Amino acid sequence: EVQLVESGGGLVKPGGSLRLSCVASGFTFTSAWMSWVRQAPGKGLEWVGRIKSQTYGGTTDYAAPVKGRFTLSRDDSKNTLYLQVNSLITEDTAVYFCTKTFHSDSSFDYWGQGTLVTVSS
Amino acid sequence: EIVLTQSPGTLSLSPGERATLSCRASQSVSSSYLAWYQQKPGQAPRLLIYGASRRATGIPDRFSGSGSGTDFTLTISRLEPEDFAVYYCQQKGSSWTFGQGTKVEIK
């Protein structure tokens, strides 16, 4: 059974930082391309960033609103995906979902339960 | 960035009825890169359809997707009680974007 379990969310002041983690199981993490998708309270879904497998250089792509502030990384030895979020602003308040990309990088077939990041003074 | 517009915003239907949800793109989308998700309150989204018309693993055949270019449709042939939820379309071009969602509610 595929599982994605996020952690690391919490309440942080504007300008602060957090590191979100996602532990994966039930599939071959080393070959998976992974993404983060977020959802502000009561709002829709927004793609945040994607990291390719190490076979493809582990390269990353980011959505414009987070580029330069957020960093994706992975530790394949721990089956873990990370999202370092810096210089947080109130608009970053959201549930952050860890997802596995699917079908030639086109969609997201497995999702974690999400971790809530609240940015407030 | 490709903008996806879903309509209607809310669909009020009874169990057993047919639901037709629309997703219109601001520019042409490759059918290979159009997906649909279902989200229930307090839960993560679930992939229903990928490649515009291919059902994901375990998705009942009452869910079907169609369309091409800029117009795509998700159809639920006969609504079951568990189908009342919010549905999102999503595309991948230079980046991934989602529609704003259609809520299917019980009439």
Side-chain angles (χ1 to χ4, degrees):
Chain A
E1 179 194 5
V2 171
Q3 282 198 317
L4 297 170
V5 180
E6 302 96 332
S7 62
L11 175 63
V12 61
K13 289 182 167 51
S17 299
L18 284 173
R19 188 176 80 158
L20 309 184
S21 301
C22 169
V23 178
S25 60
F27 63 97
T28 305
F29 184 76
T30 53
S31 59
W33 295 18
M34 303 293 294
S35 281
W36 289 92
V37 175
R38 68 183 180 182
Q39 186 170 38
K43 303 297 185 182
L45 301 166
E46 179 184 27
W47 171 75
V48 171
R50 190 265 278 119
I51 185 168
K52 298 181 179 179
S53 64
Q54 292 298 349
T55 301
Y56 290 84
T59 55
T60 54
D61 289 285
Y62 298 96
V66 308
K67 199 167 186 178
R69 300 188 297 121
F70 289 14
T71 303
L72 272 86
S73 61
R74 61 192 298 159
D75 184 340
D76 289 350
S77 68
K78 295 181 180 179
N79 280 10
T80 301
L81 174 71
Y82 300 103
L83 180 65
Q84 178 69 40
V85 297
N86 297 331
S87 303
L88 284 162
I89 58 178
T90 55
E91 290 82 0
D92 295 321
T93 294
V95 174
Y96 285 71
F97 295 102
C98 168
T99 74
K100 175 180 161 294
T101 67
F102 173 68
H103 192 238
S104 300
D105 207 25
S106 67
S107 54
F108 312 105
D109 59 344
Y110 291 103
W111 297 63
Q113 84 288 351
T115 187
L116 176 62
V117 173
T118 303
V119 184
S120 174
S121 55
Chain B
E1 179 179 279
I2 296 176
V3 175
L4 299 178
T5 302
Q6 294 186 239
S7 61
T10 301
L11 200 50
S12 298
L13 295 168
S14 300
E17 290 194 294
R18 181 184 188 90
T20 303
L21 287 68
S22 174
C23 176
R24 178 161 289 177
S26 60
Q27 56 187 280
S28 187
V29 172
S30 167
S31 294
S32 295
Y33 293 150
L34 194 288
W36 290 92
Y37 300 84
Q38 176 194 68
Q39 187 179 32
K40 297 179 182 178
Q43 296 185 16
R46 177 175 70 147
L47 177 66
L48 298 175
I49 300 288
Y50 66 96
S53 61
R54 302 171 69 172
R55 275 187 299 275
T57 303
I59 302 304
D61 61 7
R62 63 179 181 274
F63 291 92
S64 63
S66 63
S68 63
T70 59
D71 289 297
F72 296 88
T73 300
L74 174 70
T75 301
I76 311 171
S77 59
R78 293 175 311 280
L79 282 164
E80 297 287 340
E82 62 267 27
D83 298 336
F84 292 91
V86 178
Y87 293 83
Y88 294 95
C89 58
Q90 169 255 310
Q91 67 82 38
K92 190 232 174 175
S94 57
S95 70
W96 295 257
T97 57
F98 293 85
Q100 83 280 15
T102 290
K103 181 179 182 180
V104 178
E105 66 175 21
I106 300 176
K107 186 174 181 179

